[in-house]
Amino acid sequence: MTDNSEYVLPEVWTWEAPSGGQFANVNRPIAGPTHDKELPVGKHPFQLYSLATPNGQKVAIMFEELLAKGHTGAEYDAWPIRIGEGDQFGSGFVEINPNSKIPALVDRSGSEPVRIFESGAILVHLAEKFGEFLPASGPGRAETLSWLFWQMGSAPFLGGGFGHFFSYAPTKQEYPINRYAMESKRQLDVLNRRLAENEYIAGSDYSIADIAIWPWYGGIALGRSYPGADIFLATEQYEHLQRWAKAIDARPAVKRGRIVNKMTGDPSEQLHERHDASDFDLRTEDKVPLTPAEEDFEAVKDDAI
């Protein structure tokens, strides 16, 4: 469908009605909390409040990679923030992230709690704290940070641009889809060319650049982000990106981290909360017992069928 009507710009923009689309109910032009709600706090040094979007996956993957390297001090509790229900506008969450976006982290490992928001900032904080996945100095550090911030600046064109108009907008519109598809393919080509000459994004070593970039661009390459987007963008043509995306996907810590706070999809790949390493074996949604209300619903559904 092509919308040929022309938008007449008002002199001053005002918010008169929801914009439509999948997230219209939580979009608004002002910041701050909408309701009082304290956040839960678990027993571990780190408290993660998140959802398994690409940005949320980054931090859970980072924690699982640190734990896989033997850093027991990186144990964490991961609590779901249901952005479709407006949890990000609760007073407790806004205290941690005044921008009301996931993920947000509280580091309680020191004498006073420290809040960190923005996924890139969280990755740097954890990398420096544990001395992993980010060189301490020199060209390798500069390269890693450059690619980390490339992701932070580029992904909004892939997600908020292409992803929104391709999957979430109330109507399909040719101009924005073409505009953002072109930019998305340019970015995929940037990565493909880089990975033709390097095993990982920042060079020969796995780093926070890979951890940041994979959930977004690996997700697209592997057909997980927006239904049909991998075909539409012909991601199979990016040979080196595909090689890298599959290699990262095979890492055990990545397999664990990407399902933390996941609320949709295959029940075996949904771990709504994470409080212990055993949760991956015991607490995914395919293993959690149904509540009495859920059992009643399933019985009624079965009878109806």
Side-chain angles (χ1 to χ4, degrees), residues 14 19 29 31 34 42 57 66 74 80 93 95 132 137 152 154 169 171 173 183 187 191 195 246 266 298:
T14 56
S19 57
T34 60
Q57 288 179 8
L66 289 169
F93 189 85
E95 285 182 14
E132 300 283 2
S137 61
M152 301 294 289
S154 297
T171 61
Q173 299 177 43
E183 172 60 14
Q187 293 176 9
L191 293 174
L195 290 164
K246 291 172 183 176
D266 186 334
E298 290 297 320

Side-chain angles (χ1 to χ4, degrees), residues 84-137:
E85 299 175 18
D87 287 354
Q88 68 273 34
F89 300 118
S91 56
F93 189 85
V94 174
E95 285 182 14
I96 300 173
N97 185 357
N99 195 40
S100 292
K101 303 288 185 181
I102 62 95
L105 179 70
V106 178
D107 179 350
R108 296 177 175 271
S109 63
S111 58
E112 293 186 10
V114 177
R115 75 173 188 182
I116 313 101
F117 58 92
E118 290 296 329
S119 58
I122 296 172
L123 292 181
V124 172
H125 177 82
L126 294 174
E128 292 182 337
K129 190 175 190 74
F130 292 98
E132 300 283 2
F133 308 119
L134 175 64
S137 61

Side-chain angles (χ1 to χ4, degrees), residues 216-228:
W216 281 104
Y217 296 89
I220 283 283
L222 298 173
R224 290 182 180 152
S225 298
Y226 311 107

